[in-house]
């Protein structure tokens, strides 16, 4: 068979999503997620101008060869835009291969290695009472692991916390769908690492005192500390036995993790902003991390992330696939199929999409008793309602950015 058509679909139910729909000459369709939060139209252009024309007439069964052609044939390699575009093609071809075989993708990847996937949710609160309520709400929803994010005294709007703010009319911006306070121009948030480092250990002591020592707790430091600050944070959090400390320091400089690692035994998760195995190579080889945070959508697809995770498995490093709501239901489904099949699965991030998103994307995954499962529909198990998608046109929405008290731009 060959590819007859490839359509790039942009829709914005609860937020912007970019979806690639490939159709074979026999009418078999496959979906791929190409969503790059805040830079969606760059991927749309890359797909529309430089990928879709090359797919028409290609053999959809040749997934590896197509991946290598799109990666090496472009000459210019790597980067979030290129790899999200390749990821969408890869996911769509796996979706098609599963439908043609009559098997869910995880069966094509070697079958299930577990009954379900441990998931973690995002508890947040500006202060402890609100945070505790959020933890309880997530426990009631069945989460067996919970990420803890709080406000910081003296700071007005920071990542991970729904915030009262003028630009949301004074109402509390909804965090539960993704980083709040997004607009057609990047919204400025504030940051003070020393205040954060002073405050956070006390938050985890209070959470442990309230919820006990067993509950797996995670925290996302979101790239904001220097290596030595990250080392101090990891050390200060050791008494609270975190499941992981995420993005403790910007990791383009992979050497930085060597310094952090030398000071703390707190498990480290890195890589949601990475897009190829090469970004992870030294971190894995030198065992500087414990979890690979790569997302199928950003890492070039199932084919590429599987290879990265197989390499990580040699060092007993596990998956911790990125799964906020800016990973579409298609990208999430791909993560669940891959996570079910690999041996070194660690944990899956799971922020529930909104109702409008669920109306656009018909999904077949299950979430019960704290575990996710991709379902057994052939392929990825997700379909898109084009009419519903068209009812939610794209709207420009950038992620916030940070400035320090002296006005210096800082990692968000
Ligand atoms: C966060 C993300 O979920 C996480 O771990 O780092 O919400 C991140 O802020 C967004 O995906 C950025 O688009
Ligand atoms: Mg993160």
């Amino acid at each position: 068979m060959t590819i007859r058509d490839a359509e790039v679909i942009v829709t914005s139910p609860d937020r912007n999503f970019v979806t690639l729909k490939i159709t074979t000459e026999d009418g078999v369709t496959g979906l791929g997620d190409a969503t790059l939060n805040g830079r969606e139209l760059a991927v749309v252009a890359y797909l529309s101008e430089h990928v879709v024309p090359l797919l028409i007439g290609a053999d959809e069964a040749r997934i590896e060869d197509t991946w290598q052609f799109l990666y090496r044939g472009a000459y210019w390699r790597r980067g979030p835009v290129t790899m999200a575009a390749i990821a969408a093609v890869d996911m769509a071809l796996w979706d098609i291969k599963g439908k043609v075989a009559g098997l869910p993708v995880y069966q094509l990847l070697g079958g299930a290695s577990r009954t379900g996937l441990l998931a973690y949710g995002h508890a947040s609160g500006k202060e402890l009472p609100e945070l505790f309520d959020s933890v309880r709400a997530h426990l009631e929803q069945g989460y067996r692991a919970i990420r803890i994010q709080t406000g910081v005294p003296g700071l007005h709007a920071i990542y991970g916390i729904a915030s009262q703010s003028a630009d949301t009319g004074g109402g509390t911006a909804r965090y539960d769908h993704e980083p709040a306070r997004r607009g057609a121009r990047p919204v400025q948030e504030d940051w003070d690492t020393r205040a954060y480092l002073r405050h956070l250990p006390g938050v985890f002591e209070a959470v442990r005192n309230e919820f006990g020592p067993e509950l797996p707790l995670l925290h996302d430091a979101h790239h904001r500390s220097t290596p030595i600050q990250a080392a101090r944070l990891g050390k200060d959090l050791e008494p609270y036995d975190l499941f992981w400390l995420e993005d403790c320091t910007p990791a383009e400089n992979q050497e930085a993790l060597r310094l952090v690692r030398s000071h703390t035994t707190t498990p480290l998760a890195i890589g949601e902003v990475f897009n190829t195995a090469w970004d992870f190579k030294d971190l894995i080889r030198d065992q500087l991390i414990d979890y690979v945070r790569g997302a199928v959508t950003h890492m070039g697809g199932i084919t590429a992330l599987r290879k990265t995770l197989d390499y990580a498995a040699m060092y007993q490093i596990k998956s911790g696939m990125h799964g906020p709501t800016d990973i579409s239901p298609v990208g999430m489904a791909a993560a669940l199929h891959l996570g079910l099949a690999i041996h070194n699965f660690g944990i899956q991030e799971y922020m529930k999409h909104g109702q409008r998103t669920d109306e656009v994307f018909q999904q077949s995954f299950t979430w019960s008793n704290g575990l996710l499962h991709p379902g057994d529909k052939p392929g990825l198990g997700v379909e898109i309602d084009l009419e519903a998608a068209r009812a939610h046109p794209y709207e420009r929405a950038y992620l916030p950015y940070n400035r320090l008290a002296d006005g210096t731009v800082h990692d968000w």
Side-chain angles (χ1 to χ4, degrees), residues 37 122 147 159 220 222 246 272 293 322 324 326 349 399:
N37 200 352
H122 288 198
R147 191 186 80 166
Y159 163 73
D220 191 347
H222 223 261
E246 175 183 345
E272 69 181 50
R293 275 287 283 152
H322 192 219
D326 49 290
E349 180 175 15
L399 283 162

Side-chain angles (χ1 to χ4, degrees), residues 216-373:
L217 298 177
L218 303 87
H219 178 67
D220 191 347
H222 223 261
H223 325 276
R224 302 178 178 193
S225 298
T226 64
I228 198 64
Q229 289 170 336
R232 172 188 158 188
L233 179 60
K235 201 177 181 75
D236 288 351
L237 294 176
E238 282 176 12
Y240 313 112
D241 185 25
L242 267 63
F243 183 93
W244 81 31
L245 174 61
E246 175 183 345
D247 283 331
C248 62
T249 189
E252 303 95 298
N253 168 17
Q254 300 188 12
E255 277 300 306
L257 272 300
R258 199 177 306 284
L259 184 152
V260 178
R261 200 60 152 186
S262 68
H263 287 276
T264 182
T265 57
T266 293
L268 302 176
I270 291 277
E272 69 181 50
V273 297
F274 287 175
N275 42 75
T276 68
W278 285 269
D279 296 326
F280 282 103
K281 181 175 72 68
D282 297 352
L283 295 177
I284 292 170
R285 182 199 61 206
D286 298 342
Q287 300 185 207
L288 300 179
I289 59 173
D290 304 279
Y291 294 93
V292 168
R293 275 287 283 152
V296 174
T297 305
H298 299 309
M299 280 288 293
I302 292 169
T303 301
L305 184 53
R306 174 60 185 271
K307 292 174 182 178
T308 305
L309 290 169
D310 285 349
Y311 178 48
M314 292 169 63
Y315 296 88
Q316 302 183 65
I317 295 170
K318 297 187 175 182
S319 73
M321 290 179 225
H322 192 219
T325 48
D326 49 290
I327 297 289
S328 89
V330 180
M332 276 298 289
L336 300 187
H337 284 279
L338 181 56
L340 194 67
I342 58 174
H343 176 255
N344 59 323
F345 170 79
I347 197 167
Q348 173 62 49
E349 180 175 15
Y350 176 45
M351 280 178 78
K352 295 178 181 156
H353 286 107
Q355 183 187 337
R356 288 191 297 262
T357 299
D358 294 343
E359 288 164 2
V360 172
F361 295 92
Q362 283 72 48
Q363 305 161 66
S364 58
F365 77 94
T366 56
W367 156 248
S368 68
N369 191 26
L371 300 179
L372 290 162
H373 189 285

Side-chain angles (χ1 to χ4, degrees), residues 99-121:
K99 289 178 178 177
V100 169
L103 291 170
V105 168
Y106 77 83
Q107 292 290 12
L108 303 180
L109 299 174
S113 295
R114 54 196 56 77
T115 54
L117 304 176
L118 175 66
Y120 75 89

Side-chain angles (χ1 to χ4, degrees), residues 366-397:
T366 56
W367 156 248
S368 68
N369 191 26
L371 300 179
L372 290 162
H373 189 285
D376 285 292
K377 273 194 171 178
L380 293 176
V382 183
E383 296 301 336
I384 188 168
D385 180 329
L386 291 179
E387 189 176 336
R390 291 190 192 102
H392 303 290
Y394 168 80
E395 51 182 291
R396 192 173 301 281

